[in-house]
Amino acid sequence: MKKNLIIVFTGVIMLLSTINAMAQVNGLQQAENMVIKKGMIKVTILYPGGEGKKFDMDYYTKKHFPLLKTLFGDALKATAIDKGIAGGAPGAPVPFVAVGYLYFDTLADFQNGMKTNGAKIRADVPNYTDIQPVIQISEVLQ
Amino acid sequence: MKKNLIIVFTGVIMLLSTINAMAQVNGLQQAENMVIKKGMIKVTILYPGGEGKKFDMDYYTKKHFPLLKTLFGDALKATAIDKGIAGGAPGAPVPFVAVGYLYFDTLADFQNGMKTNGAKIRADVPNYTDIQPVIQISEVLQ
C-alpha cells in the first residue's frame, strides 16, 4: 500500500518535472526571439515633423507595418515604432513625429526585399503621410 | 531494498524538478529584462554626419555609455547603439554616423537623472565628438 503511494507520488513528480522542463525551453526560446542581435542591420525610417504635415499613426501601426511584415516575410526579424513626443531642450519641437525600425540579418535581405516589394511599399505611404522620410541604414553595435 | 530504491529515485526526480523550476524562473526573468515595453520613454541621440566631423565610436561604446549607466543607475532600463552605414537611396550619404538610445519607464525618470547628472554627461561629450546631436524623446508604441 505504502509502496503504491510512493509509485504514484513518483509519477506525479515526474509529470511536474516534464511540465517544468517544457515551460523552461519555451521561455528561453521566447527570450531568444526577442534578442536584437549585435551585427544585425537596422533600417530606420524617420518622419520629420513640420507645420501642416499629416501623419496617421493608427494607419502606420495597424496597416502599414503589418503590410511590411507580410511583404518582407521571414527576412524581417523584428520591428519597432516610436511616437515622437518632445525634443531634447525644454519646449523644443519634436524632431520626428514617428520613427519606424526594421531589423534584418543582412543588408542583402533588406535590399532583396525592396527589389521585390519596394513599389508596393511606396504605394502605401500616401495612405498615412505626406512627409518625405529620412532613411538610415545602421549596424546594431549594442 | 526495492522500496529504498524508489525513495532514492523520488528524491532525484524532486531535485531535478526543483532545478528545472529555478531555471525556468531565471529564464523568464531574463526574458522580461530584455523586453522593451510598450509605453516606455525612449531618448534617442542622433549624431548627423558631415565633412570633417569626428566621432570616436570606441569611446562612445566603451566609455560614454558605461558612464551613462553608472550615472542614471536603475532608472535606465535598457540601452542600444547603432552605427550608421548608409542612406536609403543607393549612394546616398548616411544621415547619422551614430545613434544612441536610452530607455526609461517614465519621462520624469530621465528628467530627474538629467537634473542631477546633465553637467557630467555634457562634459564627457567632447571626448568622443564635435557633432551637435539631435535629441528626440519618444514613446515606444511597438
Side-chain angles (χ1 to χ4, degrees), chain B residues 77-91:
Chain B
K77 298 302 179 193
T79 65
I81 299 175
D82 297 341
K83 178 187 173 186
I85 55 176

Side-chain angles (χ1 to χ4, degrees), chain A residues 34-112:
Chain A
M34 278 183 295
V35 173
I36 306 298
K37 293 182 197 81
K38 190 172 145 70
M40 272 185 140
I41 293 298
K42 180 175 181 178
V43 179
T44 306
I45 309 106
L46 306 109
Y47 296 89
E51 196 71 34
K53 292 290 181 187
K54 80 157 192 174
F55 193 91
D56 183 343
M57 187 61 90
D58 210 53
Y59 189 97
Y60 191 60
T61 54
K62 290 177 189 162
K63 303 274 184 184
H64 189 67
F65 259 62
L67 174 73
L68 294 178
K69 285 175 192 173
T70 303
L71 293 177
F72 283 112
D74 289 344
L76 184 57
K77 297 303 179 192
T79 64
I81 299 175
D82 297 342
K83 179 188 174 186
I85 55 175
V94 59
F96 304 102
V97 291
V99 188
Y101 304 91
L102 309 174
Y103 293 84
F104 298 89
D105 278 341
T106 67
L107 186 55
D109 283 349
F110 167 62
Q111 288 170 334
N112 292 337

Side-chain angles (χ1 to χ4, degrees), chain B residues 48-68:
Chain B
E51 197 72 33
K53 292 291 180 187
K54 81 157 190 174
F55 192 92
D56 183 342
M57 187 60 89
D58 209 53
Y59 189 97
Y60 191 59
T61 55
K62 290 177 189 161
K63 302 275 184 185
H64 189 67
F65 259 62
L67 174 72
L68 295 178

Side-chain angles (χ1 to χ4, degrees), chain B residues 44-137:
Chain B
T44 306
I45 308 108
L46 305 110
Y47 295 89
E51 197 72 33
K53 292 291 180 187
K54 81 157 190 174
F55 192 92
D56 183 342
M57 187 60 89
D58 209 53
Y59 189 97
Y60 191 59
T61 55
K62 290 177 189 161
K63 302 275 184 185
H64 189 67
F65 259 62
L67 174 72
L68 295 178
K69 285 174 194 175
T70 303
L71 292 177
F72 283 112
D74 289 343
L76 184 58
K77 298 302 179 193
T79 65
I81 299 175
D82 297 341
K83 178 187 173 186
I85 55 176
V94 60
F96 304 101
V97 293
V99 188
Y101 304 91
L102 309 174
Y103 293 85
F104 298 88
D105 278 340
T106 67
L107 185 55
D109 284 349
F110 167 61
Q111 288 169 334
N112 292 338
M114 283 305 285
K115 244 178 252 170
T116 317
N117 306 304
K120 275 182 201 165
I121 293 169
R122 279 185 288 269
D124 190 45
V125 175
N127 291 327
Y128 63 89
T129 193
D130 53 8
I131 299 172
Q132 179 72 31
V134 174
I135 297 175
Q136 159 100 2
I137 300 175

